Amino acid sequence: MIQYKVLQEPDVLIPHPIRFWIFLISLITTLACSIFVLYHLLIDRTLRNALNNHAIIVLLFNNLMYQLIDIPLSLSFYHLGNVWPASPILCLFWMFIDETFLSLSLILVAGASIQRHILIFHKRWLSTDKKRFFIHYLPIVILSFYIIVFHFITILFPPCQNIFNYQLSVCGYPLCYYDIRLVLIWDIAINKILPTLTIVVFSIALLVRVLLQRRRMHQYVQWRKHRKMTIQLLAIAMLYFFLYIPLMIIELIQSCFENKMSRSIKLINRSHNIENDRFNKLFGGNRYYLSLYMKCIVCILILYYLNILFGFNSYMWYEKSFEDEYYLNMKQIDVTKIEENVEDVLGLPNNILANKFLINNEYLCGRSLSPETIIHPHLLILIKSNLENFQKRQAIRMTWAIKHQLTNKNIQVAFVLGTDARKTSVEDESNKYGDIIQIDRIDYYYYSTYKMIMMLHWISDYCTSKSRRSPHIDLRKYVFFVNDDYYVDIDQLLIYIYNIDEDKEMTTYERRTFITGELIEKSYPQRFINDRWHVSLSDYPYDIYPPYISTECFLMTRYNARLYYIASKYARLFYFDHIYMGLLSYSMSTNLIKNNQLFSTSSSLSNNFVNNEYGFLSKWKLFFNSNNNINSTLKPICIRGHRAQNLIDIWNNIHQTNISFSFEL
């Protein structure tokens, strides 16, 4: 038989009507934010497959369920003044949802704090599907299953009798299993304090490890570049350390010394028979306040992520007009006057990189037919790759970049790599395949501009004509830049180049400055500090970026590549290579040829796309994401892929082959 007891609700600092509107407004904004973020993480295959997003996806789904179930029950209580319908089943369900989802959020954040270390410092632990299953996926499943089962047993099937009060929120939180000291201590210590300490310790440890690694690599720590990471990690650590741990410690102490405190209170108040009232007054509202506190924390965290998405636009008052002011500070470069005697025209260069080639592969581009003649390939393909992406390079060598087939078509391919913190050698791979160019800069996204400049440098030194008798020989020789996660339709690319070569209306100047790809216009710098593409006002004080060609997949003449390398010596470096190339194009007054259909960087690697068969939803996605003509019959040259095995599967399907992936050098 279920007993009912009228408990006095702790003093209400905020009246119920005000709480109702606070919760309602917060619910609307956070619900929209959760659905928006979760939708984009699930709909984008790259984001969905990224290991670092899996814990976030589960956490967002957990919080979304909490918002849809628990918060509406609280709204009903604050609106009516009591629990409705007054049913023990509803009370048990409410307590189960409240405890389970809040504990699950804490456990997932703790797990994500540990997995960040693995993803950053121990990527080899996740190199195979088996390792990813046991190290990445299985812990998330086990932790989630444990929390659900624990609260399912202790709340829905407790070894005791609950007492409900329908005049209090969550029916007065009558968790009778808290009378069992061992279960109570386990819940507080293992399910709450341990995950909280894990979040604090591993968040601070991650910051310390990053700084120590840079110190071991003898790199100067620029706090401005680490500001985003520092603020995020310290904010998370301090939030849990100062606001959550004190409540848990108080509750743990209360549970450990409850009997002694109760006996003392009984001795003092035995004659007045008010020992239970005194005890409830001291500690009875602790669980109520903890529940309210956790709900506020969830709302704060969701509002925090909402702020990450949209930010605060106070920066707009300090931005300069790009159209009105940028040209006043830039170096204007006339490409018709810098073919020879560059320094006489532009002065001494102010941005010569100190980087060098670890593997320059100087004979890759030119082949000698006689001691006096060197013939360069008609098309050079430079594939930007990271040192650790051997599987992607191997898949490309086995599919669209088969060496003997490209050589017969007068095409040469090279992979451009950087280094890593361990200075891993790629000499064996270079000696076997002869298609590696390596620079002495760590492969890192914010160093992409260095790699782009070094590629232009390599083309200028080793793959442009030095013959004075044929000064325009490079006007009909091309270089194609592409990332290592793309499938390239070589035949379609050669057809496009053939049409350019046969275009009788193109002038010499147009061939000199020829560059084409996916043109991005009206792109704005991201100012919010937590955005991945964050750019501070000191680094870029202008309100808009110039038009630029996406550097993930684009084509240019090798003559123009040499001009861009010359221009790079007189332009200030910028984090992102595509923006940097856009700034160079602007200073050179280069006409960027828009070709968003053939060189689309938003195309996904699938059989339907390769065969140019679009579904209704795919058409709308392409329309909004890339502004392509969805009724076009043109097959794209660049098709974004993801994994090496996926690329091979597509190749086998298109060409009716049966090649299998090889991990060997």
Side-chain angles (χ1 to χ4, degrees):
M1 179 178 179
I2 298 176
Q3 299 180 4
Y4 302 91
K5 180 179 179 181
V6 178
L7 300 175
Q8 295 296 324
E9 184 176 4
D11 295 337
V12 179
L13 299 178
I14 304 177
H16 284 182
I18 297 179
R19 291 189 186 187
F20 172 82
W21 287 107
I22 292 176
F23 270 65
L24 180 60
I25 295 173
S26 300
L27 176 63
I28 294 173
T29 55
T30 55
L31 192 61
C33 174
S34 297
I35 295 174
F36 178 81
V37 177
L38 191 59
Y39 169 79
H40 281 277
L41 287 176
L42 293 177
I43 203 68
D44 190 306
R45 185 174 182 179
T46 303
L47 296 177
R48 186 174 67 248
N49 291 337
L51 297 180
N52 58 296
N53 287 334
H54 291 167
I56 298 176
I57 291 174
V58 177
L59 184 62
L60 281 171
F61 182 79
N62 174 78
N63 289 345
L64 182 62
M65 293 298 100
Y66 182 85
Q67 296 165 42
L68 292 174
I69 300 175
D70 189 277
I71 302 299
L73 291 174
S74 298
L75 288 173
S76 174
F77 172 78
Y78 292 136
H79 179 65
L80 300 175
N82 56 63
V83 177
W84 185 89
S87 167
I89 296 178
L90 177 64
C91 292
L92 291 174
F93 175 74
W94 192 353
M95 288 187 294
F96 174 74
I97 294 298
D98 196 77
E99 283 287 316
T100 302
F101 284 169
L102 291 177
S103 298
L104 190 56
S105 295
L106 191 63
I107 290 289
L108 289 173
V109 174
S113 301
I114 297 175
Q115 285 193 349
R116 278 200 300 258
H117 288 258
I118 298 176
L119 293 171
I120 295 176
F121 298 103
H122 307 286
K123 285 187 177 181
R124 294 182 181 273
W125 294 4
L126 306 172
S127 57
T128 64
D129 291 338
K130 185 177 181 180
K131 291 181 179 179
R132 282 192 291 270
F133 174 77
F134 284 103
I135 298 177
H136 179 73
Y137 296 106
L138 192 59
I140 296 177
V141 175
I142 292 176
L143 291 175
S144 302
F145 181 76
Y146 158 72
I147 289 296
I148 294 173
V149 171
F150 176 85
H151 289 99
F152 183 82
I153 295 175
T154 56
I155 295 178
L156 299 184
F157 300 98
C160 52
Q161 195 172 32
N162 287 313
I163 301 175
F164 301 103
N165 185 349
Y166 301 125
Q167 304 303 316
L168 299 179
S169 178
V170 202
C171 303
Y173 244 113
L175 297 177
C176 69
Y177 76 83
Y178 280 114
D179 295 333
I180 305 174
R181 179 178 299 181
L182 182 61
V183 177
L184 176 60
I185 294 176
W186 176 273
D187 185 36
I188 297 174
I190 303 301
N191 297 344
K192 294 182 173 61
I193 293 182
L194 181 60
T196 304
L197 290 176
T198 301
I199 295 170
V200 174
V201 172
F202 278 83
S203 296
I204 297 177
L206 181 63
L207 178 62
V208 173
R209 290 186 70 178
V210 170
L211 297 179
L212 289 177
Q213 184 185 52
R214 296 190 67 86
R215 184 176 180 181
R216 286 195 299 268
M217 296 168 59
H218 304 288
Q219 295 182 357
Y220 176 71
V221 178
Q222 297 181 347
W223 286 103
R224 180 175 56 82
K225 293 184 178 180
H226 293 81
R227 180 175 53 187
K228 171 184 172 182
M229 178 186 67
T230 303
I231 292 177
Q232 283 185 340
L233 294 177
L234 291 182
I236 292 174
M238 295 304 102
L239 176 68
Y240 282 93
F241 183 79
F242 289 111
L243 298 182
Y244 195 84
I245 288 183
L247 284 175
M248 291 296 97
I249 292 178
I250 291 174
E251 190 165 356
L252 181 62
I253 294 175
Q254 171 191 337
S255 63
C256 293
F257 298 99
E258 180 177 356
N259 289 340
K260 293 182 179 180
M261 296 177 68
S262 297
R263 286 196 296 268
S264 300
I265 295 174
K266 286 181 180 180
L267 291 174
I268 296 174
N269 301 287
R270 182 181 301 172
S271 60
H272 301 284
N273 197 26
I274 59 171
E275 64 278 1
N276 290 330
D277 293 336
R278 178 71 60 85
F279 188 79
N280 285 333
K281 186 175 181 180
L282 288 174
F283 300 111
N286 189 50
R287 170 59 54 178
Y288 171 82
Y289 282 127
L290 179 61
S291 173
L292 182 62
Y293 164 78
M294 287 302 300
K295 292 175 183 178
C296 293
I297 289 296
V298 170
C299 291
I300 290 173
L301 289 176
I302 295 176
L303 289 174
Y304 170 75
Y305 286 111
L306 183 65
N307 194 31
I308 289 178
L309 286 175
F310 301 105
F312 179 64
N313 296 333
S314 61
Y315 60 82
M316 65 177 58
W317 302 106
Y318 305 100
E319 288 182 329
K320 300 178 182 179
S321 171
F322 179 85
E323 295 182 356
D324 296 336
E325 299 188 42
Y326 180 76
Y327 76 94
L328 298 175
N329 300 317
M330 75 175 188
K331 174 77 72 172
Q332 298 186 23
I333 301 174
D334 186 349
V335 296
T336 63
K337 298 179 180 180
I338 62 173
E339 295 181 27
E340 296 182 2
N341 302 322
V342 178
E343 294 183 3
D344 294 340
V345 178
L346 299 177
L348 294 175
N350 52 18
N351 185 41
I352 298 180
L353 297 184
N355 299 94
K356 61 182 180 180
F357 294 103
L358 300 178
I359 301 176
N360 59 10
N361 215 333
E362 57 184 311
Y363 299 111
L364 181 143
C365 190
R367 66 181 191 275
S368 178
L369 298 181
S370 68
E372 299 179 354
T373 306
I374 295 180
I375 298 180
H376 295 291
H378 186 215
L379 174 63
L380 170 68
I381 300 178
L382 294 183
I383 305 171
K384 292 176 285 184
S385 180
N386 287 358
L387 186 140
E388 61 187 15
N389 292 353
F390 169 73
Q391 294 185 18
K392 290 184 178 180
R393 294 194 292 275
Q394 195 73 340
I396 291 174
R397 294 184 182 110
M398 298 170 63
T399 54
W400 61 266
I402 300 174
K403 188 171 184 178
H404 70 273
Q405 294 182 2
L406 296 186
T407 302
N408 294 336
K409 297 176 181 178
N410 200 14
I411 301 174
Q412 284 290 348
V413 174
F415 295 92
V416 183
L417 316 178
T419 61
D420 61 9
R422 298 180 296 273
K423 303 297 182 183
T424 305
S425 174
V426 289
E427 288 289 342
D428 292 340
E429 182 181 356
S430 177
N431 293 334
K432 180 173 183 178
Y433 297 104
D435 58 3
I436 298 295
I437 300 171
Q438 187 180 25
I439 65 174
D440 63 340
R441 174 68 69 165
I442 291 179
D443 282 319
Y444 181 52
Y445 183 78
Y446 290 102
Y447 295 157
S448 60
T449 299
Y450 289 92
K451 182 177 286 187
M452 176 58 67
I453 294 176
M454 293 300 286
M455 286 191 290
L456 297 174
H457 184 186
W458 188 89
I459 295 169
S460 179
D461 283 358
Y462 303 117
C463 207
T464 55
S465 174
K466 304 298 188 297
S467 173
R468 293 185 178 181
R469 292 176 296 176
S470 304
H472 304 308
I473 193 173
D474 295 315
L475 296 181
R476 294 177 185 268
K477 294 187 181 296
Y478 302 88
V479 56
F480 179 70
F481 299 87
V482 67
N483 287 359
D484 64 0
D485 59 345
Y486 275 78
Y487 171 87
V488 177
D489 190 332
I490 295 295
D491 293 334
Q492 191 75 3
L493 177 59
L494 292 178
I495 291 173
Y496 178 77
I497 291 176
Y498 174 80
N499 292 333
I500 297 298
D501 285 341
E502 296 300 317
D503 188 350
K504 305 298 183 181
E505 297 182 358
M506 283 190 70
T507 64
T508 300
Y509 176 80
E510 289 174 335
R511 293 190 182 278
R512 285 178 180 174
T513 60
F514 176 81
I515 179 173
T516 186
E518 183 177 27
L519 181 63
I520 311 297
E521 301 177 278
K522 296 182 179 180
S523 176
Y524 300 92
Q526 301 298 319
R527 300 300 186 187
F528 189 61
I529 194 171
N530 288 307
D531 196 286
R532 177 189 177 187
W533 314 100
H534 165 71
V535 176
S536 66
L537 286 170
S538 60
D539 291 327
Y540 190 83
Y542 305 101
D543 58 349
I544 193 172
Y545 289 132
Y548 61 87
I549 294 291
S550 173
T551 54
E552 294 186 15
C553 172
F554 72 102
L555 178 72
M556 67 193 312
T557 56
R558 296 211 285 271
Y559 189 100
N560 197 21
R562 186 169 66 89
L563 296 180
Y564 269 81
Y565 174 62
I566 294 173
S568 70
K569 299 179 181 180
Y570 297 89
R572 179 186 175 187
L573 286 176
F574 192 74
Y575 296 134
F576 312 127
D577 57 348
H578 49 281
I579 304 298
Y580 181 73
M581 292 291 285
L583 293 172
L584 293 182
S585 302
Y586 190 84
S587 65
M588 298 164 63
S589 300
T590 300
N591 178 33
L592 303 177
I593 301 175
K594 183 176 182 178
N595 213 324
N596 290 12
Q597 296 177 26
L598 289 178
F599 297 90
S600 173
T601 59
S602 58
S603 304
S604 61
L605 190 57
S606 65
N607 294 335
N608 289 339
F609 200 99
V610 172
N611 296 326
N612 203 37
E613 298 175 1
Y614 300 93
F616 176 77
L617 294 178
S618 299
K619 288 186 176 184
W620 278 103
K621 184 179 178 182
L622 285 174
F623 178 79
F624 285 110
N625 289 347
S626 60
N627 295 323
N628 287 340
N629 180 5
I630 57 179
N631 295 316
S632 173
T633 58
L634 291 176
K635 291 173 60 177
I637 292 173
C638 309
I639 306 174
R640 182 192 294 275
H642 297 284
R643 296 183 180 179
Q645 187 60 53
N646 188 21
L647 180 62
I648 291 178
D649 292 341
I650 294 295
W651 179 267
N652 286 334
N653 191 20
I654 295 175
H655 298 275
Q656 298 300 310
T657 57
N658 191 29
I659 62 174
S660 58
F661 188 76
S662 173
F663 289 90
E664 299 180 359
L665 276 177

